[in-house]
Amino acid sequence: MKVDFNVLKWSPPRILVSGFALIILLGALLLSMPFASASGERLPFMDALFTATSATCVTGLVVVDTGTYFSVAGQVILMCLFQLGGLGFMTMATLIALVLRKKISLRERLLLQEAMNQSSMEGIVKLIRRVIIYSLSIELIGAALFASRFALDMPLGKAIYFGVFHAVSLFNNAGFDIFGDYRSLTLYVNDAVVNLAAMLLIITGGLGFVVMSDLMEYRKNKRLSLHSKVVLATTGTLIAVGTIVIFIFEFSNAKTLGSLDWGGKILASFFQSVTPRTAGANTLDYTQLRQATMFFTIILMFIGTSPGSTGGGIKTTTFATLVGAVIAMIRGREDIVLFRYRLGKDRIFKALTITLISLLLVIVVTMILSMTEKHAFIKLLFEATSAFGTVGLSVGVTPDLSIVGKIVISLTMFAGRLGPLTLAYALGPRTEKELYRHPEGKITIG
């Protein structure tokens, strides 16, 4: 048998894409086995592939109910998949190498740089160590908080298992739940412990590992990087604005906030503002939301979390750069300035490219779904954006998807998790540096 040594020369983006695809395929094979289902029957391979894609891409869209269809073994497989998908298989491979005290090669550092969305390799292994420690610590705290609350409603052993599963799911922004009947956290809409613990996991998982590292080191360094400042400011603003908008839109809706007391209304609005940042859990029935709230949630899902996090979307820094560009243009300034730092033109071009490609992807997917699925347009747009942003929130479309719909949504989740640019770099031809520049021309804009 001839070995293709060209694989060894693949670019980091191509290796990442291939690695995620391999994990998804392996996960699909395991989930389609009889032992993975509670009834002992085989899950159709297309449904297994969809579920494995959703878990590995930490989305949470499901075609079968996780809590009732899968056995404990199947649920553990899912938990492993979204832990791998959230932290990244290169992070897990580095953990094994560090445990075995193996040296991390230059090529492996390049892969880690690409996987963590970093601009340089400097301190990348140290960052990975912190990522692993922080992630496991936060998941452990979340699991303990959940287990202590769930123990009031179920046996202790089951409460611990539920606590671990949902802590790992929410920190990795996977959105899977095992309460059954697609209920997610709706049973705990008024519960402060469950809501606050869930939001803590979602927000910390969505900030990005670089920001988490910066925050942990703040006591010693007494400073934050520009990246961390932009991420924290944008995240806080989006959560605050989202809470207010959802509260106003749903205040009188008897099927959502209308039936809750004032404390419940505020808590539920806060949670529904946090979860579209690619988490996928919900405490309200999203099929009962008003169209205005659905559309606003679509915007939040499209923006997503922050670079180097467990979530998707165009990312908070991309959104902040675009807003900065608009403000600079309105004020007649050439430079985009954030926290007294000027952004380079390459950052601006990258933000525009990511946004336009992402918008085009969501539009195309929605158009395809509108031809293959029998649902309202706003619901199809919601589902397409949820898949791209690896959010996992659903308005009841996913369980009814046709074969074509399942394939399209699976590919969208895959593209959303890896990022449009990473996929473009992986699948496109190797670019060569131009040896000349064309003369400058002028066109009328606006």
Side-chain angles (χ1 to χ4, degrees):
M1 186 177 72
K2 187 178 179 181
V3 179
D4 185 8
F5 289 101
N6 287 327
V7 172
L8 303 177
K9 298 179 181 179
W10 280 2
S11 64
R14 186 167 294 183
I15 292 174
L16 287 176
V17 170
S18 302
F20 267 96
L22 190 61
I23 292 170
I24 289 169
L25 184 59
L26 179 60
L29 290 172
L30 290 173
L31 291 174
S32 64
M33 296 294 175
F35 66 81
S37 71
S39 64
E41 297 178 358
R42 283 180 175 270
L43 179 67
F45 187 75
M46 186 64 239
D47 290 343
L49 184 63
F50 185 97
T51 306
T53 304
S54 183
T56 307
C57 297
V58 290
T59 305
L61 291 174
V62 291
V63 289
V64 294
D65 183 53
T66 310
T68 56
Y69 187 89
F70 291 105
S71 63
V72 172
Q75 291 168 3
V76 170
I77 291 169
L78 286 172
M79 187 161 51
C80 292
L81 287 176
F82 48 68
Q83 182 76 82
L84 267 173
L87 298 184
F89 72 92
M90 278 307 302
T91 302
M92 303 306 291
T94 304
L95 171 61
I96 295 170
L98 291 173
V99 169
L100 297 176
R101 297 190 176 182
K102 288 184 65 178
K103 188 176 180 181
I104 310 299
S105 67
L106 177 63
R107 183 160 185 75
E108 288 165 344
R109 290 170 191 265
L110 283 169
L111 279 169
L112 288 170
Q113 178 189 340
E114 180 69 28
M116 299 303 293
N117 201 14
Q118 296 299 293
S119 56
S120 73
M121 289 187 295
E122 185 180 355
I124 192 69
V125 176
K126 187 178 179 182
L127 175 62
I128 294 299
R129 284 197 188 98
R130 289 176 178 173
V131 165
I132 295 166
I133 293 170
Y134 297 161
S135 301
L136 295 179
S137 299
I138 293 170
E139 287 175 352
L140 186 61
I141 293 169
L145 289 171
F146 280 146
S148 63
R149 175 60 187 86
F150 295 156
L152 300 177
D153 303 326
M154 59 186 74
L156 181 60
K158 186 178 179 181
I160 293 172
Y161 173 63
F162 269 54
V164 171
F165 185 96
H166 292 97
V168 176
S169 175
L170 291 173
F171 176 75
N172 288 289
N173 282 211
F176 281 80
D177 75 277
I178 49 176
F179 287 104
D181 298 325
Y182 304 100
R183 287 180 296 187
S184 192
L185 299 177
T186 53
L187 295 173
Y188 297 94
V189 62
N190 279 310
D191 194 290
V193 174
V194 172
N195 277 260
L196 293 175
M199 287 187 283
L200 171 70
L201 289 163
I202 294 166
I203 292 170
T204 51
L207 285 177
F209 300 119
V210 174
V211 178
M212 286 167 56
S213 179
D214 260 10
L215 290 173
M216 295 295 182
E217 295 293 315
Y218 182 75
R219 196 177 223 176
K220 183 172 68 175
N221 298 332
K222 299 297 181 185
R223 64 183 180 84
L224 292 173
S225 65
L226 173 63
H227 172 81
S228 296
K229 290 178 181 178
V230 172
V231 166
L232 292 171
T234 308
T235 299
T237 302
L238 288 172
I239 291 174
V241 172
T243 302
I244 295 168
V245 171
I246 292 170
F247 182 85
I248 293 171
F249 285 177
E250 294 296 317
F251 183 83
S252 59
N253 186 349
K255 295 179 180 179
T256 55
L257 295 184
S259 60
L260 304 175
D261 58 23
W262 274 90
K265 283 181 170 67
I266 294 171
L267 191 62
S269 299
F270 189 17
F271 191 94
Q272 263 54 237
S273 177
V274 170
T275 194
R277 315 300 303 292
T278 87
N282 57 286
T283 58
L284 297 178
D285 184 355
Y286 269 68
T287 62
Q288 303 300 325
L289 292 179
R290 288 171 171 158
Q291 286 199 12
T293 314
M294 277 191 195
F295 190 73
F296 180 73
T297 304
I298 287 169
I299 296 171
L300 292 179
M301 292 192 297
F302 186 74
I303 296 170
T305 53
S306 303
S309 70
T310 58
I314 63 170
K315 304 296 189 293
T316 52
T317 48
T318 303
F319 177 70
T321 301
L322 294 178
V323 172
V326 171
I327 293 172
M329 179 62 70
I330 291 173
R331 291 182 175 179
R333 295 176 180 174
E334 288 189 12
D335 296 329
I336 298 175
V337 178
L338 300 176
F339 293 96
R340 298 183 181 179
Y341 283 92
R342 173 176 54 85
L343 297 186
K345 282 186 170 30
D346 61 321
R347 302 292 91 188
I348 301 164
F349 288 144
K350 187 173 183 179
L352 286 169
T353 303
I354 289 172
T355 304
L356 286 176
I357 292 177
S358 301
L359 188 60
L360 180 63
L361 176 63
V362 170
I363 290 171
V364 170
V365 170
T366 306
M367 286 195 297
I368 294 173
L369 291 178
S370 67
M371 292 188 292
T372 62
E373 314 304 320
K374 296 179 180 179
H375 286 278
F377 180 80
I378 187 71
K379 291 187 175 182
L380 296 176
L381 177 60
F382 190 101
E383 220 79 2
T385 311
S386 180
F388 163 73
T390 68
V391 180
L393 291 174
S394 177
V395 285
V397 173
T398 302
D400 301 330
L401 286 174
S402 63
I403 295 295
V404 175
K406 289 175 184 176
I407 293 171
V408 169
I409 290 294
S410 295
L411 292 173
T412 307
M413 291 188 290
F414 189 71
R417 176 65 185 96
L418 289 163
L421 282 186
T422 299
L423 271 181
Y425 293 151
L427 302 177
R430 184 174 294 179
T431 56
E432 295 181 1
K433 190 174 182 180
E434 291 185 352
L435 301 178
Y436 60 90
R437 295 182 70 186
H438 293 280
E440 183 179 344
K442 293 184 179 180
I443 59 173
T444 302
I445 301 292

